[in-house]
Coordinates of all heavy atoms in Angstrom, one line a residue:
M1045 N 10.9 18.0 9.5 CA 9.5 17.6 9.2 C 9.4 16.1 9.1 O 10.2 15.5 8.3 CB 9.1 18.3 7.9 CG 7.8 17.9 7.4 SD 7.4 18.7 5.8 CE 5.8 18.1 5.5
T1046 N 8.5 15.5 9.8 CA 8.3 14.1 9.7 C 7.1 13.7 8.9 O 6.0 14.3 9.2 CB 8.2 13.5 11.1 OG1 9.4 13.7 11.8 CG2 8.0 12.0 11.1
H1047 N 7.2 12.9 7.9 CA 6.1 12.4 7.2 C 5.5 11.2 7.9 O 6.2 10.4 8.4 CB 6.5 12.0 5.8 CG 6.8 13.1 4.9 ND1 7.4 13.0 3.6 CD2 6.8 14.5 5.1 CE1 7.6 14.1 3.1 NE2 7.3 15.1 3.9
R1048 N 4.1 11.2 8.0 CA 3.4 10.1 8.6 C 2.6 9.4 7.6 O 1.9 10.0 6.8 CB 2.6 10.5 9.8 CG 3.4 11.1 10.9 CD 2.7 11.2 12.2 NE 2.1 9.9 12.7 CZ 2.8 9.0 13.4 NH1 4.1 9.2 13.6 NH2 2.2 7.9 13.8
Y1049 N 2.7 8.0 7.5 CA 2.0 7.2 6.6 C 1.3 6.1 7.3 O 1.7 5.7 8.4 CB 3.0 6.5 5.6 CG 3.7 7.5 4.7 CD1 4.9 8.0 5.1 CD2 3.2 7.9 3.5 CE1 5.6 8.9 4.3 CE2 3.9 8.8 2.7 CZ 5.1 9.3 3.1 OH 5.8 10.1 2.3
Q1050 N 0.2 5.6 6.7 CA -0.5 4.4 7.2 C -0.8 3.5 6.0 O -1.2 4.0 4.9 CB -1.9 4.8 7.8 CG -1.7 5.5 9.1 CD -3.1 5.8 9.7 OE1 -4.1 5.8 9.1 NE2 -3.1 6.1 11.0
V1051 N -0.5 2.2 6.2 CA -0.8 1.2 5.2 C -2.0 0.5 5.8 O -1.9 -0.2 6.8 CB 0.4 0.3 5.0 CG1 0.1 -0.8 4.0 CG2 1.6 1.0 4.5
R1052 N -3.1 0.6 5.1 CA -4.4 0.0 5.6 C -4.9 -1.0 4.6 O -4.9 -0.7 3.4 CB -5.4 1.1 5.8 CG -5.1 2.1 6.8 CD -6.2 3.1 6.8 NE -5.9 4.2 7.7 CZ -6.7 5.3 7.8 NH1 -7.8 5.4 7.1 NH2 -6.3 6.2 8.7
P1053 N -5.5 -2.1 5.0 CA -6.2 -3.0 4.1 C -7.4 -2.3 3.5 O -8.1 -1.5 4.2 CB -6.6 -4.2 4.9 CG -6.5 -3.8 6.3 CD -5.6 -2.6 6.4
R1054 N -7.7 -2.6 2.2 CA -8.9 -2.0 1.6 C -10.2 -2.7 2.1 O -10.1 -3.9 2.3 CB -8.8 -2.1 0.1 CG -7.7 -1.1 -0.4 CD -7.6 -1.2 -1.9 NE -8.8 -1.0 -2.6 CZ -9.3 0.2 -3.0 NH1 -8.6 1.3 -2.7 NH2 -10.4 0.4 -3.6
T1055 N -11.2 -2.0 2.1 CA -12.5 -2.6 2.6 C -13.0 -3.6 1.6 O -13.8 -4.6 2.0 CB -13.6 -1.6 2.8 OG1 -13.8 -0.8 1.7 CG2 -13.2 -0.7 4.0
D1056 N -12.6 -3.5 0.3 CA -13.1 -4.5 -0.7 C -12.2 -5.7 -0.8 O -12.3 -6.5 -1.8 CB -13.3 -3.8 -2.0 CG -12.1 -3.2 -2.6 OD1 -11.0 -3.3 -2.0 OD2 -12.1 -2.6 -3.7
N1057 N -11.2 -5.8 0.1 CA -10.2 -6.9 0.1 C -9.4 -7.0 -1.2 O -9.0 -8.1 -1.6 CB -10.9 -8.3 0.4 CG -11.6 -8.3 1.7 OD1 -11.1 -7.8 2.7 ND2 -12.8 -8.9 1.8
S1058 N -9.1 -5.9 -1.8 CA -8.3 -6.0 -3.0 C -7.0 -5.2 -2.9 O -6.6 -4.4 -3.8 CB -9.2 -5.3 -4.2 OG -9.4 -4.0 -3.9
G1059 N -6.3 -5.4 -1.8 CA -5.0 -4.8 -1.6 C -5.0 -3.9 -0.4 O -5.7 -4.1 0.5
V1060 N -4.1 -2.9 -0.5 CA -3.9 -1.9 0.6 C -4.0 -0.5 0.1 O -3.7 -0.3 -1.1 CB -2.6 -2.2 1.4 CG1 -2.6 -3.6 2.0 CG2 -1.4 -1.9 0.5
D1061 N -4.3 0.4 1.0 CA -4.2 1.8 0.7 C -3.0 2.4 1.5 O -2.8 2.0 2.6 CB -5.4 2.6 1.1 CG -6.6 2.4 0.2 OD1 -6.4 2.3 -1.0 OD2 -7.7 2.4 0.7
L1062 N -2.2 3.2 0.8 CA -1.2 4.0 1.5 C -1.7 5.4 1.7 O -2.1 6.1 0.7 CB 0.1 4.1 0.7 CG 1.2 4.9 1.2 CD1 1.7 4.4 2.5 CD2 2.4 5.0 0.2
V1063 N -1.9 5.8 2.9 CA -2.6 7.1 3.2 C -1.6 8.0 3.9 O -0.9 7.6 4.9 CB -3.8 6.8 4.2 CG1 -4.5 8.1 4.5 CG2 -4.7 5.8 3.5
S1064 N -1.6 9.3 3.5 CA -0.7 10.3 4.1 C -1.1 11.7 3.6 O -1.5 11.8 2.4 CB 0.7 10.0 3.8 OG 1.5 11.1 4.4
D1065 N -0.9 12.7 4.4 CA -1.1 14.1 4.0 C 0.1 14.5 3.1 O 0.1 15.5 2.4 CB -1.2 15.0 5.2 CG -2.5 14.9 5.9 OD1 -3.5 14.3 5.3 OD2 -2.6 15.3 7.0
A1066 N 1.2 13.7 3.2 CA 2.4 14.1 2.4 C 2.3 13.6 1.0 O 3.1 14.1 0.1 CB 3.6 13.4 3.1
L1067 N 1.4 12.8 0.6 CA 1.2 12.3 -0.7 C 0.4 13.4 -1.5 O -0.5 14.0 -1.0 CB 0.4 11.0 -0.8 CG 1.1 9.8 -0.1 CD1 0.2 8.6 0.0 CD2 2.4 9.5 -0.9
P1068 N 0.7 13.5 -2.8 CA 0.1 14.5 -3.6 C -1.4 14.4 -3.7 O -2.2 15.4 -3.7 CB 0.7 14.4 -5.0 CG 1.9 13.5 -4.9 CD 1.7 12.8 -3.6
F1069 N -2.0 13.2 -3.7 CA -3.4 13.0 -3.8 C -4.0 12.4 -2.5 O -5.2 12.0 -2.5 CB -3.7 12.1 -5.0 CG -3.3 12.7 -6.3 CD1 -2.2 12.2 -6.9 CD2 -3.9 13.8 -6.8 CE1 -1.7 12.8 -8.1 CE2 -3.5 14.4 -8.0 CZ -2.4 13.9 -8.6
G1070 N -3.2 12.3 -1.4 CA -3.7 11.8 -0.2 C -3.7 10.3 0.0 O -3.6 9.8 1.1
R1071 N -3.8 9.5 -1.1 CA -4.0 8.1 -0.9 C -3.5 7.4 -2.2 O -3.7 7.9 -3.3 CB -5.4 7.8 -0.7 CG -5.8 6.4 -0.8 CD -7.3 6.2 -0.5 NE -7.7 7.0 0.7 CZ -8.3 6.4 1.7 NH1 -8.7 5.2 1.7 NH2 -8.6 7.2 2.8
L1072 N -2.8 6.2 -2.1 CA -2.5 5.4 -3.2 C -3.0 4.0 -3.0 O -3.0 3.5 -1.8 CB -0.9 5.3 -3.4 CG -0.2 6.6 -3.8 CD1 1.3 6.4 -3.8 CD2 -0.7 7.0 -5.2
W1073 N -3.4 3.3 -4.0 CA -3.9 1.9 -3.9 C -2.9 1.0 -4.5 O -2.4 1.2 -5.6 CB -5.2 1.9 -4.7 CG -5.8 0.5 -4.9 CD1 -5.7 -0.5 -4.0 CD2 -6.6 0.1 -6.0 NE1 -6.4 -1.6 -4.5 CE2 -7.0 -1.3 -5.7 CE3 -7.0 0.6 -7.1 CZ2 -7.7 -2.0 -6.6 CZ3 -7.8 -0.1 -8.0 CH2 -8.1 -1.4 -7.7
Y1074 N -2.6 -0.1 -3.7 CA -1.7 -1.2 -4.2 C -2.5 -2.5 -4.1 O -3.1 -2.8 -3.1 CB -0.5 -1.3 -3.2 CG 0.4 -0.1 -3.4 CD1 0.3 1.0 -2.7 CD2 1.5 -0.2 -4.2 CE1 1.1 2.1 -2.8 CE2 2.4 0.8 -4.4 CZ 2.2 2.0 -3.7 OH 3.1 3.0 -3.8
A1075 N -2.5 -3.2 -5.2 CA -3.3 -4.4 -5.3 C -2.5 -5.7 -5.7 O -3.0 -6.8 -5.7 CB -4.4 -4.3 -6.4
E1076 N -1.2 -5.5 -6.0 CA -0.4 -6.7 -6.4 C -0.1 -7.6 -5.2 O -0.4 -7.2 -4.0 CB 0.9 -6.2 -7.0 CG 1.8 -5.4 -6.2 CD 1.4 -3.9 -6.2 OE1 0.5 -3.5 -7.0 OE2 2.0 -3.2 -5.4
P1077 N 0.5 -8.8 -5.4 CA 0.7 -9.7 -4.3 C 1.6 -9.1 -3.1 O 1.3 -9.5 -2.0 CB 1.4 -10.9 -4.9 CG 1.0 -10.8 -6.4 CD 0.8 -9.4 -6.7
N1078 N 2.5 -8.3 -3.4 CA 3.4 -7.7 -2.4 C 2.9 -6.2 -2.1 O 3.7 -5.3 -2.0 CB 4.8 -7.7 -2.8 CG 5.4 -9.1 -3.0 OD1 5.0 -9.9 -2.2 ND2 6.2 -9.3 -4.0
A1079 N 1.6 -6.0 -2.0 CA 1.1 -4.7 -1.9 C 1.6 -3.9 -0.7 O 2.0 -2.8 -0.8 CB -0.4 -4.7 -1.9
A1080 N 1.6 -4.5 0.5 CA 2.1 -3.8 1.7 C 3.5 -3.5 1.6 O 4.0 -2.3 1.9 CB 1.8 -4.6 2.9
K1081 N 4.4 -4.4 1.1 CA 5.8 -4.2 1.0 C 6.1 -3.0 0.0 O 6.9 -2.2 0.2 CB 6.5 -5.4 0.5 CG 8.0 -5.3 0.3 CD 8.6 -6.6 -0.1 CE 10.1 -6.4 -0.4 NZ 10.7 -7.5 -1.0
N1082 N 5.3 -3.0 -1.2 CA 5.5 -2.0 -2.2 C 5.0 -0.6 -1.6 O 5.7 0.4 -1.9 CB 4.8 -2.4 -3.4 CG 5.5 -3.5 -4.1 OD1 6.6 -3.8 -3.9 ND2 4.7 -4.2 -5.0
A1083 N 4.0 -0.6 -0.9 CA 3.5 0.6 -0.3 C 4.5 1.2 0.7 O 4.8 2.4 0.7 CB 2.2 0.4 0.4
I1084 N 5.1 0.4 1.5 CA 6.2 0.8 2.5 C 7.4 1.3 1.7 O 7.9 2.4 2.0 CB 6.6 -0.3 3.4 CG1 5.4 -0.7 4.3 CG2 7.8 0.0 4.2 CD1 5.5 -2.0 5.1
S1085 N 7.8 0.6 0.7 CA 9.0 1.0 -0.2 C 8.7 2.4 -0.8 O 9.6 3.3 -0.8 CB 9.3 0.0 -1.2 OG 9.7 -1.2 -0.7
Y1086 N 7.5 2.6 -1.3 CA 7.1 3.9 -1.9 C 7.2 5.0 -0.9 O 7.7 6.1 -1.1 CB 5.8 3.9 -2.5 CG 5.4 5.2 -3.2 CD1 5.8 5.5 -4.5 CD2 4.7 6.2 -2.5 CE1 5.5 6.7 -5.1 CE2 4.4 7.4 -3.0 CZ 4.8 7.6 -4.3 OH 4.5 8.8 -4.9
A1087 N 6.7 4.8 0.3 CA 6.7 5.8 1.4 C 8.1 6.1 1.8 O 8.5 7.3 2.0 CB 5.9 5.3 2.6
Q1088 N 9.0 5.1 1.8 CA 10.4 5.4 2.2 C 11.1 6.2 1.0 O 11.8 7.1 1.3 CB 11.1 4.1 2.4 CG 10.7 3.4 3.7 CD 11.4 2.0 3.8 OE1 11.7 1.4 2.8 NE2 11.5 1.6 5.1
F1089 N 10.8 5.9 -0.2 CA 11.4 6.6 -1.3 C 10.8 8.0 -1.4 O 11.6 9.0 -1.5 CB 11.1 5.9 -2.7 CG 11.5 6.7 -3.8 CD1 12.9 6.6 -4.2 CD2 10.7 7.5 -4.6 CE1 13.4 7.4 -5.3 CE2 11.1 8.2 -5.7 CZ 12.5 8.2 -6.0
Y1090 N 9.5 8.2 -1.2 CA 8.9 9.5 -1.3 C 9.4 10.4 -0.2 O 9.5 11.6 -0.4 CB 7.4 9.4 -1.3 CG 6.7 10.7 -1.6 CD1 6.6 11.2 -2.9 CD2 6.2 11.5 -0.6 CE1 6.0 12.4 -3.2 CE2 5.5 12.7 -0.9 CZ 5.4 13.1 -2.2 OH 4.8 14.3 -2.5
S1091 N 9.8 9.9 0.9 CA 10.3 10.6 2.1 C 11.8 10.5 2.2 O 12.4 10.7 3.3 CB 9.6 10.1 3.4 OG 8.3 10.3 3.3
R1092 N 12.5 10.3 1.1 CA 13.9 10.1 1.2 C 14.7 11.3 1.8 O 15.8 11.1 2.3 CB 14.5 9.7 -0.1 CG 14.4 10.8 -1.2 CD 14.7 10.2 -2.6 NE 14.5 11.2 -3.6 CZ 13.3 11.5 -4.2 NH1 12.2 10.9 -3.8 NH2 13.3 12.5 -5.1
A1093 N 14.2 12.5 1.7 CA 14.9 13.6 2.3 C 14.3 14.0 3.6 O 14.7 15.0 4.2 CB 14.8 14.8 1.3
H1094 N 13.3 13.3 4.1 CA 12.6 13.6 5.4 C 12.5 12.4 6.3 O 12.6 11.3 5.8 CB 11.2 14.1 5.1 CG 11.1 15.3 4.2 ND1 11.3 16.5 4.7 CD2 10.8 15.4 2.9 CE1 11.2 17.4 3.7 NE2 10.8 16.7 2.6
Q1095 N 12.4 12.6 7.6 CA 12.1 11.5 8.4 C 10.7 11.0 8.2 O 9.8 11.8 7.8 CB 12.2 11.9 9.9 CG 13.7 12.2 10.3 CD 13.7 12.5 11.8 OE1 12.8 13.0 12.4 NE2 14.9 12.4 12.3
A1096 N 10.4 9.7 8.3 CA 9.1 9.2 8.1 C 8.8 8.1 9.1 O 9.6 7.4 9.5 CB 9.0 8.6 6.7
T1097 N 7.5 8.1 9.5 CA 6.9 7.0 10.3 C 5.9 6.3 9.5 O 4.9 7.0 9.0 CB 6.4 7.5 11.6 OG1 7.4 8.2 12.3 CG2 5.8 6.4 12.5
I1098 N 6.0 5.0 9.3 CA 5.0 4.2 8.5 C 4.4 3.2 9.4 O 5.0 2.3 9.9 CB 5.7 3.5 7.3 CG1 6.5 4.6 6.5 CG2 4.7 2.8 6.5 CD1 7.6 4.0 5.7
D1099 N 3.1 3.3 9.6 CA 2.3 2.4 10.5 C 1.5 1.4 9.6 O 0.9 1.9 8.6 CB 1.3 3.1 11.4 CG 2.0 4.0 12.4 OD1 3.1 3.6 12.9 OD2 1.4 5.0 12.8
V1100 N 1.7 0.1 9.8 CA 0.9 -0.9 9.1 C -0.3 -1.3 10.0 O 0.0 -1.7 11.2 CB 1.8 -2.1 8.8 CG1 1.0 -3.2 8.0 CG2 3.0 -1.7 7.9
I1101 N -1.5 -1.2 9.5 CA -2.7 -1.4 10.3 C -3.4 -2.6 9.8 O -3.6 -2.8 8.6 CB -3.5 -0.1 10.2 CG1 -2.8 1.1 10.8 CG2 -4.9 -0.3 10.9 CD1 -3.4 2.4 10.6
D1102 N -3.9 -3.4 10.7 CA -4.7 -4.6 10.3 C -6.2 -4.3 10.2 O -6.6 -3.1 10.4 CB -4.5 -5.8 11.2 CG -5.0 -5.6 12.6 OD1 -5.7 -4.6 12.9 OD2 -4.8 -6.5 13.5
R1103 N -7.0 -5.3 9.8 CA -8.4 -5.0 9.6 C -9.2 -4.5 10.8 O -10.2 -3.8 10.7 CB -9.1 -6.3 9.1 CG -8.5 -6.7 7.8 CD -9.5 -7.6 7.0 NE -8.9 -8.0 5.7 CZ -8.7 -7.3 4.7 NH1 -9.0 -6.0 4.7 NH2 -8.1 -7.7 3.6
S1104 N -8.7 -4.9 12.0 CA -9.3 -4.4 13.2 C -9.0 -3.0 13.6 O -9.5 -2.4 14.5 CB -9.0 -5.4 14.4 OG -7.7 -5.2 14.8
G1105 N -8.0 -2.4 12.9 CA -7.6 -1.0 13.2 C -6.4 -0.9 14.1 O -5.9 0.2 14.5
A1106 N -5.8 -2.1 14.5 CA -4.6 -2.1 15.4 C -3.4 -2.0 14.5 O -3.3 -2.5 13.4 CB -4.6 -3.4 16.1
I1107 N -2.4 -1.3 15.1 CA -1.1 -1.1 14.4 C -0.3 -2.4 14.7 O -0.1 -2.8 15.8 CB -0.3 0.1 15.0 CG1 -1.1 1.4 14.7 CG2 1.1 0.1 14.4 CD1 -0.5 2.6 15.3
V1108 N 0.1 -3.1 13.6 CA 0.8 -4.4 13.7 C 2.3 -4.2 13.5 O 3.1 -5.1 13.9 CB 0.2 -5.4 12.7 CG1 -1.2 -5.8 13.1 CG2 0.3 -5.0 11.3
A1109 N 2.7 -3.1 12.8 CA 4.1 -2.8 12.6 C 4.3 -1.3 12.4 O 3.4 -0.7 11.8 CB 4.7 -3.6 11.4
T1110 N 5.5 -0.8 12.8 CA 5.8 0.6 12.6 C 7.2 0.6 12.1 O 8.1 -0.1 12.6 CB 5.8 1.4 13.9 OG1 4.4 1.3 14.4 CG2 6.2 2.8 13.7
Y1111 N 7.4 1.3 11.0 CA 8.7 1.5 10.4 C 9.1 2.9 10.5 O 8.4 3.8 10.2 CB 8.7 1.1 8.9 CG 8.3 -0.4 8.7 CD1 7.0 -0.8 8.5 CD2 9.3 -1.4 8.7 CE1 6.7 -2.1 8.4 CE2 9.0 -2.7 8.5 CZ 7.7 -3.0 8.3 OH 7.3 -4.4 8.2
E1112 N 10.4 3.1 10.9 CA 11.0 4.5 10.9 C 12.0 4.6 9.8 O 12.8 3.7 9.6 CB 11.7 4.7 12.3 CG 10.8 4.5 13.5 CD 9.9 5.7 13.7 OE1 10.2 6.8 13.3 OE2 8.8 5.5 14.3
H1113 N 11.9 5.7 9.1 CA 12.8 6.0 8.0 C 13.5 7.3 8.4 O 12.9 8.3 8.7 CB 12.1 6.1 6.7 CG 13.0 6.5 5.6 ND1 13.9 5.6 5.1 CD2 13.0 7.6 4.8 CE1 14.5 6.2 4.0 NE2 14.0 7.4 3.9
A1114 N 14.9 7.3 8.4 CA 15.7 8.4 8.9 C 15.8 9.5 7.9 O 16.3 10.6 8.3 CB 17.0 7.9 9.3
G1115 N 15.4 9.4 6.7 CA 15.5 10.5 5.7 C 17.0 10.7 5.4 O 17.5 11.8 5.4
N1116 N 17.7 9.6 5.0 CA 19.1 9.6 4.8 C 19.5 9.8 3.3 O 20.4 9.2 2.8 CB 19.7 8.4 5.4 CG 19.1 7.1 4.8 OD1 18.2 7.1 4.0 ND2 19.6 6.0 5.3
F1117 N 18.8 10.6 2.6 CA 19.1 10.9 1.2 C 20.4 11.6 1.1 O 20.7 12.5 1.8 CB 18.0 11.8 0.6 CG 18.3 12.2 -0.8 CD1 18.1 11.3 -1.9 CD2 18.6 13.5 -1.1 CE1 18.4 11.6 -3.2 CE2 18.9 13.9 -2.4 CZ 18.8 12.9 -3.5
S1118 N 21.2 11.1 0.1 CA 22.5 11.8 -0.2 C 22.7 11.9 -1.7 O 22.3 11.0 -2.4 CB 23.6 11.1 0.5 OG 23.7 9.8 0.0
E1119 N 23.3 13.0 -2.1 CA 23.6 13.2 -3.5 C 24.8 12.5 -3.9 O 25.7 12.3 -3.1 CB 23.7 14.6 -3.9 CG 22.3 15.3 -3.7 CD 22.4 16.8 -4.2 OE1 23.1 17.0 -5.3 OE2 21.9 17.6 -3.6
F1120 N 24.9 12.1 -5.2 CA 26.2 11.4 -5.6 C 27.2 12.4 -6.1 O 26.9 13.5 -6.5 CB 25.8 10.5 -6.8 CG 25.0 9.3 -6.3 CD1 23.6 9.3 -6.5 CD2 25.6 8.2 -5.8 CE1 22.9 8.3 -6.1 CE2 24.8 7.2 -5.3 CZ 23.5 7.2 -5.5

C-alpha cells in the first residue's frame, strides 16, 4: 500500500496544508517557518511502515518536488 500526500500552500498565506487520505482527519495545517519541511517529515514518519509519495505543490498548482519514501521501518 502506497500512501500519497500533497503539501499545498494555504490560500490565506499562513503556512501549508498536508493533505492525504492516509491521515486520520484528512488534512494537517503547518504554520511555522519550516512548515513544508515539517509537513514532509511528518508524512515520512506517519508512513514509516508503508511506501509514500509526497508531492510539493506551488500556488499555481504545479508539482515542484516529489519525495519518495521506501517505508523502511525496522524494529530494534
Side-chain angles (χ1 to χ4, degrees):
M1045 174 180 181
T1046 299
H1047 291 172
R1048 296 201 53 86
Y1049 296 89
Q1050 291 182 340
V1051 178
R1052 298 179 183 174
R1054 292 180 53 87
T1055 56
D1056 61 1
N1057 297 321
S1058 63
V1060 299
D1061 284 326
L1062 176 64
V1063 181
S1064 176
D1065 289 340
L1067 295 172
F1069 301 106
R1071 170 181 310 236
L1072 293 175
W1073 171 33
Y1074 289 86
E1076 60 274 355
N1078 294 324
K1081 180 180 176 186
N1082 290 338
I1084 293 166
S1085 295
Y1086 181 86
Q1088 289 173 333
F1089 176 79
Y1090 190 76
S1091 296
R1092 64 192 177 276
H1094 302 282
Q1095 292 181 338
T1097 301
I1098 307 161
D1099 294 326
V1100 180
I1101 299 172
D1102 68 5
R1103 296 205 184 285
S1104 69
I1107 297 174
V1108 295
T1110 298
Y1111 297 91
E1112 299 286 333
H1113 179 66
N1116 54 1
F1117 176 74
S1118 61
E1119 292 188 42
F1120 293 96

